[in-house]
């Protein structure tokens, strides 16, 4: 497996947030990280944001910017059992998690 030419988008997912909305949120985070493991962070932060939103859509099956999206989306493939497992908190993604990732995309890479 080859590494991307620049810093991989997956680096934006480290460290994980200290707080999640629902139990499906960490599964989405980790699935997006895996999906973007071999994609380099683009120079333009807007392009990085678009890639992050596209990855979210691929994992969750819904567009985060869709105003008709319900506040919670259940994804059976992310359900590992238990209360709220596999349920994604859309507002947490809109207000906290996606802004965190896009902010990280706009920062320079940390020193090696």
């Amino acid at each position: 497996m080859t590494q991307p030419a620049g810093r991989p988008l997956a680096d934006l997912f480290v460290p994980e947030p200290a707080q999640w909305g629902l139990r499906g949120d960490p599964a989405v985070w980790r699935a997006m990280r895996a999906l973007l493991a071999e994609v380099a962070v683009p120079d333009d932060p807007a392009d990085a944001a678009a890639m992050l939103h596209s990855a979210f859509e691929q994992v969750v099956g819904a567009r985060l910017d869709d105003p008709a999206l319900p506040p919670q989306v259940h994804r059976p493939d992310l359900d590992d059992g238990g209360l709220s497992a596999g349920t994604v908190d859309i507002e947490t993604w809109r207000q906290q998690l996606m802004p965190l990732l896009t902010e990280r995309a706009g920062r320079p890479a940390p020193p090696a």
Side-chain angles (χ1 to χ4, degrees), residues 40-57:
V41 176
D43 292 333
D44 184 346
D47 290 342
M51 291 175 152
L52 290 163
H53 279 267
S54 177
F56 180 88
E57 184 176 357

Side-chain angles (χ1 to χ4, degrees), residues 36-108:
L36 298 169
E38 295 191 30
V39 178
V41 176
D43 292 333
D44 184 346
D47 290 342
M51 291 175 152
L52 290 163
H53 279 267
S54 177
F56 180 88
E57 184 176 357
Q58 288 179 55
V59 171
V60 178
R63 292 183 53 91
L64 199 53
D65 62 356
D66 180 355
L69 196 59
Q72 300 174 353
V73 175
H74 186 261
R75 296 291 309 172
D77 54 319
L78 302 175
D79 189 337
D80 60 359
L83 188 62
S84 86
T87 303
V88 180
D89 187 332
I90 298 304
E91 287 310 307
T92 295
W93 276 94
R94 285 179 178 154
Q95 295 175 11
Q96 297 170 6
L97 302 177
M98 192 61 74
L100 173 65
L101 290 169
T102 56
E103 177 186 327
R104 288 177 181 179
R107 291 188 205 150

Side-chain angles (χ1 to χ4, degrees), residues 12-52:
L12 305 179
F13 293 81
V14 178
E16 290 188 350
Q19 187 172 359
W20 304 99
L22 293 169
R23 288 190 53 211
D25 295 335
V28 172
W29 184 274
R30 292 173 190 133
M32 288 174 60
R33 181 177 182 207
L35 186 64
L36 298 169
E38 295 191 30
V39 178
V41 176
D43 292 333
D44 184 346
D47 290 342
M51 291 175 152
L52 290 163

